Amino acid sequence: MRGFTYLSKVLHSHSSYSKLLVLCSISTGGLLVYAESNVESGKQVVEQNQPESKKKRVVVLGTGWGGTSFLKDLDISSYDVKVVSPRNYFAFTPLLPSVTCGTVEARSVVEPVRNIIKKRSGEIQFWEAECLKIDPENHRVSCRSGINDNLAGHNDFSLQYDYLVVAVGAQVNTFNTPGVMEHCHFLKEVEDAQRIRRTVIDCFEKSVIPGLSEEERRTNLHFVIVGGGPTGVEFAAELHDYVYEDLVKIYPSVKDFVKITVIQSGDHILNTFDERISSFAEQKFQRDGIEVSTGCRVTSVSDHFISMKVKSTGKNVEVPYGMVVWSSGVGTRPFVKDFMEQVGQEKRRILTTDEWLRVKGCSNVYALGDCASVDQRKVMEDISAIFKAADKDDSGTLSVKEFRDVLEDIIIRYPQVALYLKNKHLLEAKDLFRDSEGNEREEVDIEGFKLALSHVDSQMKSLPATAQVAAQQGTYLARCFNRWDQCKSNPEGPRRFKSSGRHEFLPFEYRHLGQFAPLGGDQAAAELPGDWVSMGHSTQWLWYSVYASKQVSWRTRYLVVGDWVRRYIFGRDSSRI
């Protein structure tokens, strides 16, 4: 214990050692979740019985990528932290498609929250429950446990907070398509992957029953995936490998009846990737016999047919199926919608935050991950204030030198400016001041300044709903909380153009580290920083190494790698469990 105490003091006193520790943490991909269970029977309001403590109360909703990253990096010595989540584990969601077909077992991709709690001596409290309502006026959240009602005690309780971190993710978006909720499978949770795995086996078992017609067997073995994004494509690839590497060997009589179809409303699958990857994926699926129906919009789903409208012809088509997996879009959870109405965001599609992840209209609530969207402020909204702040001599014109003095603050506050300069290959500030003929100007007036920056906001892009974004947001917010007192007295952010002083913190900046798309047959595609695109067998091994290193713990890392080895030696298990 003395050694740990000494190490803690060294890390706090030497920032370089802290950076080294962070680097080691990133390289191993370890994610820690700290929590504690301490629900007092018979009390509906949970309060900390420490009147002498002056710690701010932080309530975290969710133990997904955003909530977990926040808890991992938060200095809990400064806060009284409580965590509420309907699941008592962290799930490595990028491997859920592999769970659907037994390539990886469900327990290999989850880490129980309480495995880490016991090492923290109750410094963080955890309750397995679902948030029902947020009351921003009274700084309270109402929760309900989903544990069996037959057990003794109440299920409802509430928590008081000083700061609330909403990291509950999103739910499936059916776009109000009739029949989707009743007849489709989804792939958002571990339980969803387990249900899909059982249904795949059911389809094969039903198809080999004597007396069925060929048409009935074809219907039962028609697997439809709605949505050509990364999740839908990866599941289609996993299912194809499962069928043709394992299931056709034990169900040889029906191997010719199997069909896999991917339905995509857009013109291409993987349309968020580089077009080279999208084209490669379509060609590979065509070679593998996976049918890709692009330009098709699903209009309804019944118990035996899926109806869709073909955009090119305008015709409505009915297709029989055995199983449908809906992997198209994400939606807002009900209690988050209710919260949006309370803070004046009822007209928005998703909960909106500023660049510091603060919910707009509620200064002490933060939102991370899929449940929220960062509303990046436009340059043109503040263009007059920027010009006035830069024009130090009040001459009514802005020189290159004056603009250069505020450019760094502008780029930090409005990152779309940096993207614009990069895409237009503008190397210096004076390049923005060129006239329509390309001639350099020493200064510009307000109208010329507006014209120079008029196209900058076109570079604004919304952040993707990925684990990578949520994890970075959690890490960023924890850093802000850890430096709260320091940055209040010594702000580190950009200057406030509409008022005096500076912002306390640097705004959140997402750094894209690349993305993978496993395509089956031990082939994958990768889009990495620097416009580097890689496809093929070597990329699959890169995918193995990255996903193994990013596992939640050494336990899950060992289990996942063991599952991959088992699959290569023995194949995938076809038991219906």
Side-chain angles (χ1 to χ4, degrees):
M1 290 302 294
R2 292 180 179 176
F4 284 107
T5 303
Y6 174 74
L7 179 60
S8 176
K9 292 180 179 179
V10 170
L11 291 176
H12 281 83
S13 59
H14 297 281
S15 60
S16 60
Y17 292 142
S18 299
K19 293 178 181 178
L20 179 60
L21 181 62
V22 171
L23 178 62
C24 294
S25 175
I26 293 174
S27 67
T28 59
L31 296 177
L32 304 180
V33 183
Y34 305 121
E36 176 64 27
S37 175
N38 188 23
V39 181
E40 296 185 12
S41 177
K43 293 185 179 180
Q44 291 188 335
V45 180
V46 179
E47 298 289 353
Q48 193 77 353
N49 189 23
Q50 294 179 351
E52 73 281 357
S53 176
K54 296 182 180 180
K55 293 182 179 180
K56 293 290 187 179
R57 294 164 296 187
V58 178
V59 174
V60 181
L61 303 179
T63 53
W65 286 93
T68 298
S69 296
F70 175 75
L71 294 170
K72 175 180 71 72
D73 293 319
L74 181 66
D75 179 9
I76 58 176
S77 64
S78 304
Y79 298 97
D80 175 18
V81 185
K82 301 179 177 71
V83 184
V84 176
S85 175
R87 61 187 192 188
N88 67 349
Y89 57 85
F90 168 85
F92 193 87
T93 51
L95 282 179
L96 286 184
S98 297
V99 175
T100 62
C101 299
T103 305
V104 173
E105 292 299 325
R107 290 191 178 276
S108 299
V109 299
V110 300
E111 180 71 11
V113 172
R114 299 186 184 279
N115 276 2
I116 307 301
I117 293 175
K118 59 186 178 182
K119 301 178 182 179
R120 300 295 294 179
S121 302
E123 292 175 304
I124 293 181
Q125 294 178 292
F126 171 79
W127 293 280
E128 184 180 346
E130 183 178 4
C131 179
L132 300 179
K133 185 179 180 63
I134 299 174
D135 183 358
E137 184 175 350
N138 296 310
H139 299 177
R140 187 181 296 276
V141 292
S142 300
C143 308
R144 176 177 297 164
S145 171
I147 300 173
N148 195 332
D149 289 336
N150 293 330
L151 296 176
H154 60 82
N155 282 341
D156 295 338
F157 63 94
S158 63
L159 297 171
Q160 200 81 23
Y161 66 82
D162 293 304
Y163 301 108
L164 177 65
V165 178
V166 183
V168 295
Q171 65 181 13
V172 175
N173 189 353
T174 66
F175 303 101
N176 296 319
T177 306
V180 172
M181 293 300 297
E182 295 82 2
H183 305 294
C184 292
H185 288 270
F186 306 107
L187 193 48
K188 291 287 292 179
E189 306 290 345
V190 174
E191 293 82 2
D192 295 333
Q194 292 173 314
R195 281 191 289 269
I196 290 174
R197 182 175 178 178
R198 289 191 293 268
T199 302
V200 170
I201 298 302
D202 286 347
C203 290
F204 274 86
E205 291 291 353
K206 183 64 180 289
S207 298
V208 296
I209 291 179
L212 269 66
S213 66
E214 287 192 3
E215 188 62 31
E216 289 172 328
R217 299 185 202 277
R218 291 185 190 279
T219 298
N220 291 337
L221 295 177
H222 186 197
F223 302 97
V224 179
I225 298 97
V226 181
T231 301
V233 167
E234 186 173 349
F235 171 67
E238 282 280 357
L239 181 60
H240 176 271
D241 287 354
Y242 187 29
V243 169
Y244 291 99
E245 292 178 5
D246 300 279
L247 295 183
V248 295
K249 298 176 183 178
I250 54 180
Y251 301 98
S253 62
V254 295
K255 64 180 181 179
D256 295 329
F257 301 123
V258 179
K259 183 180 180 180
I260 301 173
T261 301
V262 177
I263 299 175
Q264 167 72 340
S265 60
D267 296 329
H268 299 280
I269 60 174
L270 296 178
N271 51 19
T272 59
F273 283 70
D274 186 282
E275 61 181 11
R276 290 169 288 180
I277 292 179
S278 178
S279 177
F280 178 80
E282 291 175 354
Q283 293 173 11
K284 186 179 186 307
F285 275 14
Q286 184 177 11
R287 293 194 302 269
D288 291 342
I290 300 175
E291 182 177 321
V292 178
S293 299
T294 56
C296 298
R297 181 175 63 86
V298 174
T299 55
S300 65
V301 182
S302 65
D303 53 352
H304 295 297
F305 293 92
I306 182 169
S307 301
M308 58 185 181
K309 184 175 183 179
V310 182
K311 293 181 181 179
S312 59
T313 62
K315 294 182 179 180
N316 293 312
V317 180
E318 279 194 343
V319 179
Y321 70 87
M323 183 184 76
V324 177
V325 174
W326 186 272
S327 178
S328 180
V330 293
T332 306
R333 297 188 184 278
F335 84 90
V336 176
K337 289 183 179 178
D338 175 72
F339 174 60
M340 291 169 63
E341 293 178 0
Q342 295 183 68
V343 297
Q345 294 191 22
E346 63 274 3
K347 295 182 179 180
R348 294 185 179 270
R349 182 183 59 86
I350 191 171
L351 185 63
T352 303
T353 72
D354 61 16
E355 298 89 334
W356 292 268
L357 308 183
R358 290 182 300 233
V359 173
K360 290 195 169 183
C362 198
S363 60
N364 63 341
V365 180
Y366 299 81
L368 315 173
D370 296 356
C371 69
S373 175
V374 177
D375 186 15
Q376 175 62 50
R377 191 168 180 83
K378 296 181 180 179
V379 172
M380 297 309 294
E381 293 178 356
D382 300 331
I383 192 70
S384 298
I386 294 173
F387 184 88
K388 184 177 180 180
D391 185 16
K392 296 180 180 179
D393 57 4
D394 293 326
S395 63
T397 60
L398 198 64
S399 67
V400 173
K401 182 180 183 304
E402 288 175 325
F403 179 63
R404 189 180 289 116
D405 290 341
V406 298
L407 183 59
E408 182 178 354
D409 287 310
I410 292 175
I411 289 176
I412 294 175
R413 182 67 179 86
Y414 311 95
Q416 61 266 35
V417 174
L419 289 175
Y420 180 80
L421 294 174
K422 178 181 178 181
N423 292 339
K424 294 297 182 180
H425 305 289
L426 303 178
L427 302 179
E428 297 184 15
K430 64 181 181 181
D431 293 334
L432 273 173
F433 280 23
R434 295 180 183 273
D435 59 23
S436 58
E437 298 180 357
N439 299 317
E440 291 186 8
R441 292 181 293 185
E442 291 300 323
E443 56 184 24
V444 294
D445 58 12
I446 181 64
E447 295 303 322
F449 188 60
K450 288 180 179 179
L451 183 63
L453 297 178
S454 60
H455 300 294
V456 167
D457 290 328
S458 64
Q459 299 296 318
M460 294 173 59
K461 296 180 180 179
S462 58
L463 298 177
T466 63
Q468 187 177 160
V469 171
Q472 290 188 28
Q473 288 179 335
T475 300
Y476 163 83
L477 188 60
R479 179 183 179 276
C480 291
F481 272 64
N482 294 343
R483 294 170 55 84
W484 196 287
D485 293 334
Q486 178 181 347
C487 290
K488 284 292 183 181
S489 57
N490 186 22
E492 65 178 12
R495 72 169 65 184
R496 299 177 186 268
F497 289 108
K498 286 195 169 184
S499 61
S500 60
R502 308 183 74 86
H503 291 278
E504 286 87 358
F505 305 104
L506 294 169
F508 171 71
E509 180 182 3
Y510 169 62
R511 298 183 182 277
H512 185 60
L513 302 178
Q515 52 186 343
F516 287 90
L519 301 174
D522 285 332
Q523 294 191 59
E527 181 181 288
L528 301 175
D531 195 31
W532 181 47
V533 170
S534 176
M535 295 169 285
H537 293 284
S538 60
T539 309
Q540 179 69 28
W541 286 102
L542 177 62
W543 179 85
Y544 283 138
S545 62
V546 169
Y547 274 40
S549 68
K550 294 299 180 182
Q551 284 305 305
V552 64
S553 67
W554 279 106
R555 168 188 162 274
T556 55
R557 187 174 295 115
Y558 171 81
L559 291 173
V560 166
V561 173
D563 287 342
W564 287 334
V565 173
R566 171 191 50 77
R567 171 242 164 175
Y568 270 104
I569 298 175
F570 301 107
R572 301 170 181 85
D573 185 15
S574 62
S575 302
R576 190 193 178 280
I577 54 174

